[in-house]
Amino acid sequence: MRYPFPVGKSDFIQGDEAIARAAILAGCRFYAGYPITPASEIFEAMALYMPLVDGVSIQMEDELASIAAIIGASWAGAKAMTATSGPGFSLMMENLGYAIMTETPIVVVDVQRSGPSTGQPTLAAQGDVMQAIWGTHGDHSLIVLTPATVQEAFDMTIRAFNLAEKYRTPVILLTDAEVGHMREKVDIPNPEDIELVYRKLPANEEEAKYPFGDIHGDLIPPMPIFGKGYRTYVTGLTHDEKGRPKTVDAEIHRKLIERIVNKIEKNKKDIIDYETFELDDAEVAIISYGIVARSAVRAVKILRSEGIKAGLLKLNVVWPFDFDMIERIAEQVHAIYVPEMNLGQLYHLVKEGANGKARVDLIPKIGGEVHTPQEIVREVKKCECGV
Amino acid sequence: MRFKLSYEIRDKYLRKDMLPTIFCPGCGIGSVLQYTLRAIDELGWSKDEVVWVSGIGCSSRVPGFVDFDGLHTTHGRALAFATGIKMANPDLKVIAFMGDGDTAAIGGNHFIHAIRRNLDVTVILINNFTYGMTGGQVAPTTLKGLRGTTAPYGSFENPFDIAELAVAAGANYVARWTVFNYVQGINSIKKALQKKGFSLVEFLSPCPISFGRRNRMKTAPELIKWYNKITVPISKAKNMSPEELKDKIVIGEFVDRDRPSLNEEYEEYKKRAKKMMGWEE
């Protein structure tokens, strides 16, 4: 197959562009979107590439329609993606919940800008963490990935599709204007070297009768896509294993929702991804994600050079969340610092994870700029040295 | 036309484990469903090639009762979901079974844009002038002066004429009937299903429980009489003055044309893209 961009070599491209190329290499053949800064470049790249690879790129009337269209496309058998930023992401919450309830594999990219409301369209923020995890209503779970570099934006886009297909769930690629608009060198592998995952399809008629049942004991039902003769009914209402609406039966509701949550929770080990830096003997820990983690690496180096034994935990996945790991870190260190480009979102999860075993301090920053390493150093030193 | 027995249609197309339906006595949705199934049956379409899409409300429960692939989605968004289904797999034939609130209120924007694109989908629209499932609130189609639980003194807003709206937005086929126009209804659905691009068949459908009861029409026969009073065939309406047409609803076939559909346009677009990139001659 011919690709409309170089493969098997490196290129110097924007984060948004990297996400679009990775999506195509991951097998995405349906993109629906609505323009919004700073995510529009993803759409523009998809618009350029999709017709050439016999995929579809379509500009919908709004964000509600965009996510609706990709859910429809997914049931028609396509790997599908949309991208947006905070205000548009808010509009998608209704149908994000529908995708969770109907166990539809889709990828939603949120290139964060600041809010609330229209906020700062061209500047970066990390204010959508809680929206990504808990934005839609009801009890649910999903997967949220947080790239810090353009290369990670590329790699994690492919992973986002693989996780969506594997767990039959929406996956959010939660990046920001800084990563989205920054240009960096990206290694683009040969397509044959990329490991791709495809959704489990029903093996036979019998399996197809239970599109929402745990027939393999792995909590993930095979997905009978439309037009294959299985005649599946899909509804956002509480449904039984066959997909029949059962809206007033507490037991059926409990069983369905617990399975949807547990298929993520029980596979945490497979999904969660993180990196550590100088954490083994650390006495203070910095926990960070996305663009801010890059400043945090430098901050750790500076702190170490000044005699403070600091270490970093960089989260590549912010949901599902490894509360136990945070508690283990909290038992080892006496303080945890959470630098975030917001007034405290991941901070709450870290504090819950630390479970009182260590002090947890937020290092907030809003207004559109990434923390400098010195700012993180200054805040840590202020507390550590009592300055 | 020779009609099959209703039992044959029921046994062939309905999911027995989903019966009985949720519909109230006197409701018109079952009739329109039967017309749609008869149209599919007469066209000889396979159950495996048709996908039914719906939003929220009484009429949106229909895909659950029929033995086809079906996507019962969020309020008003059926056509946005349908866009993804049809564009991702153009071989599928897509029917959107929708209500008036679903189509013209919360889904108004999706509706006009699906038509503007000329999406290859057939909308079967149940217009009962009310929000039936939520208990009889007024809809964007409620005629002025008629009552609903959110306009207890009679609606004070101008209603939408959905069929005219669809014509103006560019639909390839638009027809409107009452559920009592049995033969015309089935023929229109057959035409609509075979049409490439956007097609709409609107049915004025009785809702005695949520709508009629609040407007001195407690039974379906009373609503039939009312429909007879307020509807005018399109041929007759052409010779009527605006004053005479006030408070009347025109029924019949509004438009039948063949503008290129979205799927056809996209096939051409892909060719153009490859040519412009020098990939193809």
Side-chain angles (χ1 to χ4, degrees), chain B residues 26-72:
Chain B
C27 173
I29 295 172
S31 306
V32 178
L33 171 58
Q34 191 195 132
Y35 306 161
T36 310
L37 293 173
R38 284 186 183 281
I40 289 172
D41 194 61
E42 285 183 20
L43 291 172
W45 284 7
S46 145
K47 290 196 279 187
D48 297 339
E49 59 181 340
V50 184
V51 176
W52 295 54
V53 190
S54 67
I56 295 293
C58 301
S59 45
S60 295
R61 297 298 282 269
V62 156
F65 300 124
V66 295
D67 188 26
F68 293 77
D69 282 323
L71 201 63
H72 175 221

Side-chain angles (χ1 to χ4, degrees), chain A residues 35-234:
Chain A
I36 185 167
T37 303
S40 291
E41 291 85 351
I42 297 173
F43 193 173
E44 286 159 8
M46 285 306 231
L48 203 58
Y49 299 147
M50 273 302 198
L52 302 171
V53 297
D54 288 315
V56 174
S57 171
I58 185 165
Q59 183 165 329
M60 297 301 290
E61 52 273 21
D62 55 32
E63 287 86 350
L64 300 91
S66 303
I67 184 168
I70 68 166
I71 295 168
S74 185
W75 277 99
K79 289 189 180 182
M81 180 172 94
T82 187
T84 188
S85 189
F89 195 44
S90 297
L91 293 178
M92 290 183 181
M93 285 305 140
E94 179 198 33
N95 284 336
L96 184 64
Y98 181 85
I100 291 167
M101 190 61 149
T102 56
E103 301 177 71
T104 310
I106 52 165
V107 173
V108 178
V109 186
D110 176 11
V111 189
Q112 296 167 95
R113 60 199 242 185
S114 88
S117 191
T118 323
Q120 297 173 292
T122 59
L123 301 179
Q126 294 180 318
D128 301 355
V129 177
M130 280 300 170
Q131 183 175 224
I133 300 170
W134 297 121
T136 197
H137 62 281
D139 299 292
H140 61 267
S141 191
L142 74 177
I143 298 171
V144 185
L145 310 180
T146 46
T149 68
V150 176
Q151 182 72 54
E152 282 182 5
F154 181 92
D155 297 339
M156 285 190 199
T157 301
I158 292 173
R159 184 158 195 255
F161 276 97
N162 286 346
L163 289 170
E165 295 285 317
K166 184 171 181 182
Y167 293 108
R168 235 186 105 176
T169 186
V171 176
I172 313 293
L173 185 75
L174 188 67
T175 182
D176 64 85
E178 210 62 51
V179 174
H181 281 165
M182 174 192 339
R183 280 175 195 277
E184 288 186 300
K185 185 185 152 198
V186 179
D187 292 324
I188 300 173
N190 275 310
E192 54 269 27
D193 297 333
I194 301 173
E195 197 187 321
L196 295 184
V197 176
Y198 294 89
R199 67 193 67 172
K200 195 163 62 182
L201 300 171
N204 50 49
E205 295 262 343
E206 193 53 32
E207 279 196 15
K209 282 181 194 162
Y210 301 95
F212 304 95
D214 183 18
I215 55 173
H216 290 168
D218 61 355
L219 305 171
I220 308 150
M223 183 172 171
I225 56 173
F226 290 170
K228 301 286 181 200
Y230 293 129
R231 303 201 289 275
T232 308
Y233 178 55
V234 183

Side-chain angles (χ1 to χ4, degrees), chain A residues 6-17:
Chain A
V7 290
K9 54 169 95 167
S10 51
D11 206 348
F12 186 66
I13 52 174
Q14 271 194 342
D16 281 355
E17 170 83 25

Side-chain angles (χ1 to χ4, degrees), chain B:
Chain B
M1 203 187 307
R2 189 195 72 83
F3 287 119
K4 278 189 182 170
L5 290 172
S6 299
Y7 300 110
E8 285 181 62
I9 298 294
R10 182 195 67 187
D11 291 346
K12 187 167 174 187
Y13 293 106
L14 295 193
R15 289 190 170 120
K16 279 152 212 85
D17 62 335
M18 287 286 288
L19 299 177
T21 68
I22 58 156
F23 307 129
C24 307
C27 173
I29 295 172
S31 306
V32 178
L33 171 58
Q34 191 195 132
Y35 306 161
T36 310
L37 293 173
R38 284 186 183 281
I40 289 172
D41 194 61
E42 285 183 20
L43 291 172
W45 284 7
S46 145
K47 290 196 279 187
D48 297 339
E49 59 181 340
V50 184
V51 176
W52 295 54
V53 190
S54 67
I56 295 293
C58 301
S59 45
S60 295
R61 297 298 282 269
V62 156
F65 300 124
V66 295
D67 188 26
F68 293 77
D69 282 323
L71 201 63
H72 175 221
T73 69
T74 45
H75 199 188
R77 321 277 172 229
L79 290 171
F81 284 88
T83 310
I85 295 170
K86 186 68 194 179
M87 292 300 280
N89 185 355
D91 293 336
L92 296 171
K93 300 175 194 305
V94 182
I95 295 173
F97 210 98
M98 301 167 72
D100 46 54
D102 223 18
T103 306
I106 187 166
N109 205 31
H110 305 309
F111 182 66
I112 58 173
H113 285 279
I115 301 175
R116 173 182 63 79
R117 295 186 184 104
N118 212 2
L119 176 69
D120 298 64
V121 59
T122 296
V123 171
I124 307 294
L125 172 63
I126 300 288
N127 181 358
N128 54 15
F129 307 105
T130 192
Y131 282 77
M133 188 166 265
T134 41
Q137 295 83 6
V138 287
T141 47
T142 309
L143 303 178
K144 242 185 204 172
L146 290 178
R147 277 178 293 196
T149 53
T150 46
Y153 311 110
S155 172
F156 54 90
E157 297 178 28
N158 297 318
F160 256 138
D161 184 325
I162 298 180
E164 289 286 10
L165 181 67
V167 173
N172 263 356
Y173 181 80
V174 177
R176 174 162 57 211
W177 305 104
T178 76
V179 288
F180 313 110
N181 301 113
Y182 193 96
V183 178
Q184 296 98 320
I186 295 173
N187 284 337
S188 268
I189 295 172
K190 266 169 79 179
K191 252 188 186 176
L193 289 175
Q194 288 170 286
K195 185 67 79 178
K196 282 183 178 161
F198 194 95
S199 54
L200 166 75
V201 187
E202 176 183 354
F203 286 93
L204 307 184
S205 175
C207 174
I209 303 297
S210 283
F211 171 75
R213 195 158 52 92
R214 297 193 169 80
N215 289 287
R216 297 199 186 88
M217 294 175 282
K218 279 186 190 163
T219 62
E222 286 171 276
L223 282 157
I224 298 173
K225 279 184 206 148
W226 180 59
Y227 287 157
N228 276 334
K229 213 167 76 185
I230 63 166
T231 55
V232 179
I234 196 164
S235 52
K236 199 173 159 197
K238 273 176 190 145
N239 303 314
M240 287 167 72
S241 68
E243 290 74 35
E244 288 172 309
L245 281 171
K246 197 172 169 284
D247 300 327
K248 298 283 185 204
I249 295 176
V250 177
I251 55 169
E253 211 172 55
F254 287 67
V255 73
D256 182 355
R257 58 193 167 197
D258 290 298
R259 293 173 171 172
S261 71
L262 180 62
N263 282 100
E264 291 169 312
E265 299 273 21
Y266 196 75
E267 282 309 307
E268 288 303 310
Y269 181 73
K270 280 196 288 191
K271 279 186 204 152
R272 189 156 81 229
K274 286 173 187 166
K275 210 171 151 190
M276 284 172 77
M277 289 298 285
W279 283 27
E280 276 174 16
E281 281 304 302

